[in-house]
């Protein structure tokens, strides 16, 4: 869906009629923990905690997903936050769009969490982002929605081959108990010897 916000900017939204959800994607530029005081990092963590706590006040918000893609060749990490609202039946798309715009406005608060928040992706940029999930070497914007999918696939029991790439997915349902250190998270989210995407999904509960 090609929408326009109050400032006249084009915002792409992905509507899933089967799941009755509407999603927008926002690129982020994390500042990283290098050459940063421990107190600053603690402040970022506290700010992130505040942002997650306020998700319970957002109308219709279903979940927020942060995806970090890295490559082994020294390319910069590409980080995108997906914000999804529910109850997006065709008859309620206007209401869902308004709720999503409210959530996007609230995302500006992430500036206190050690990252810069860029403009939401437009429809062409969303199609390119999805397409690059199948072909990391894909360059240029996708022209139509059909360009998002892989051109050929071979699905196996443990792997998924698509456009010359071989993928395997791992789901981590529960983190280990206790506090996670900055160094440990940096290794988990940072580059490896292969192309990697890590997605963290946050599902808010009622604010009360």
């Amino acid at each position: 869906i090609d929408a326009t916000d109050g400032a006249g900017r084009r915002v792409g939204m992905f509507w899933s009629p089967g799941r009755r959800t509407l999603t927008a994607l926002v690129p982020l530029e994390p500042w990283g923990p290098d050459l940063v005081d421990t107190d600053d990092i603690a402040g970022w963590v506290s700010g992130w905690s505040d942002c997650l706590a306020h998700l319970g006040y957002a109308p219709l918000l279903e979940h927020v997903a942060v995806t970090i893609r890295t490559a082994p060749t020294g390319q910069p990490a590409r980080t995108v936050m997906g914000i999804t609202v529910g109850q997006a039946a065709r008859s309620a798309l206007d209401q869902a769009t308004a709720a999503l715009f409210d959530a996007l406005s609230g995302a500006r608060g992430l500036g206190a969490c050690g990252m810069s928040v860029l403009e939401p992706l437009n429809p062409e940029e969303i199609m390119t982002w999805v397409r690059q999930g199948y072909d990391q070497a894909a360059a240029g914007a996708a022209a139509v929605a059909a360009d998002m999918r892989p051109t050929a696939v071979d699905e196996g029991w443990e792997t998924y081959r698509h456009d010359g790439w071989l993928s395997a997915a791992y789901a981590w349902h529960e983190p280990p108990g206790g506090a996670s250190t900055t160094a440990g998270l940096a290794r988990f989210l940072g580059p490896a010897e292969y192309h990697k995407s890590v997605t963290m999904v946050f599902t808010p509960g009622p604010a009360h």
Side-chain angles (χ1 to χ4, degrees):
I1 294 175
D2 195 340
T4 303
D5 65 9
R9 294 176 294 234
R10 294 178 65 219
V11 177
M13 298 182 178
F14 188 84
W15 178 47
S16 175
R19 295 183 57 235
R20 299 167 66 92
T21 58
L22 194 65
T23 301
L25 301 182
V26 182
L28 307 172
E29 288 186 350
W31 300 337
D34 297 334
L35 304 178
V36 178
D37 292 336
T38 303
D39 290 344
D40 290 334
I41 295 177
W44 294 349
V45 173
S46 177
W48 180 246
S49 177
D50 290 343
C51 287
L52 293 181
H54 281 82
L55 294 180
Y57 293 98
L60 305 182
L61 187 65
E62 184 171 284
H63 63 260
V64 171
V66 178
T67 299
I68 301 173
R69 288 180 180 169
T70 57
T73 57
Q75 300 173 6
R78 293 170 293 169
T79 305
V80 164
M81 179 177 63
I83 302 175
T84 300
V85 297
Q87 301 180 14
R90 181 179 290 275
S91 59
L93 277 180
D94 288 345
Q95 179 186 4
T97 299
L100 194 49
F101 278 143
D102 285 342
L104 291 174
S105 177
R108 291 296 174 188
L110 292 174
C113 306
M115 65 188 78
S116 297
V117 183
L118 306 182
E119 299 297 336
L121 300 184
N122 62 40
E124 292 80 16
E125 291 168 336
I126 287 180
M127 290 189 289
T128 299
W129 169 261
V130 175
R131 171 62 185 154
Q132 288 175 342
Y134 295 108
D135 184 359
Q136 300 261 347
V144 294
D147 291 340
M148 292 191 296
R149 61 181 178 233
T151 56
V153 299
D154 182 10
E155 185 175 359
W157 182 254
E158 295 181 332
T159 58
Y160 184 67
R161 184 178 296 277
H162 45 88
D163 293 353
W165 299 77
L166 187 67
S167 290
Y170 301 89
W172 189 20
H173 295 289
E174 184 178 354
S180 298
T181 65
T182 304
L185 287 174
R187 291 185 60 191
F188 175 61
L189 300 173
E193 64 273 14
Y194 45 82
H195 290 266
K196 181 174 71 172
S197 294
V198 178
T199 298
M200 296 172 289
V201 180
F202 302 91
T203 303
H208 66 274

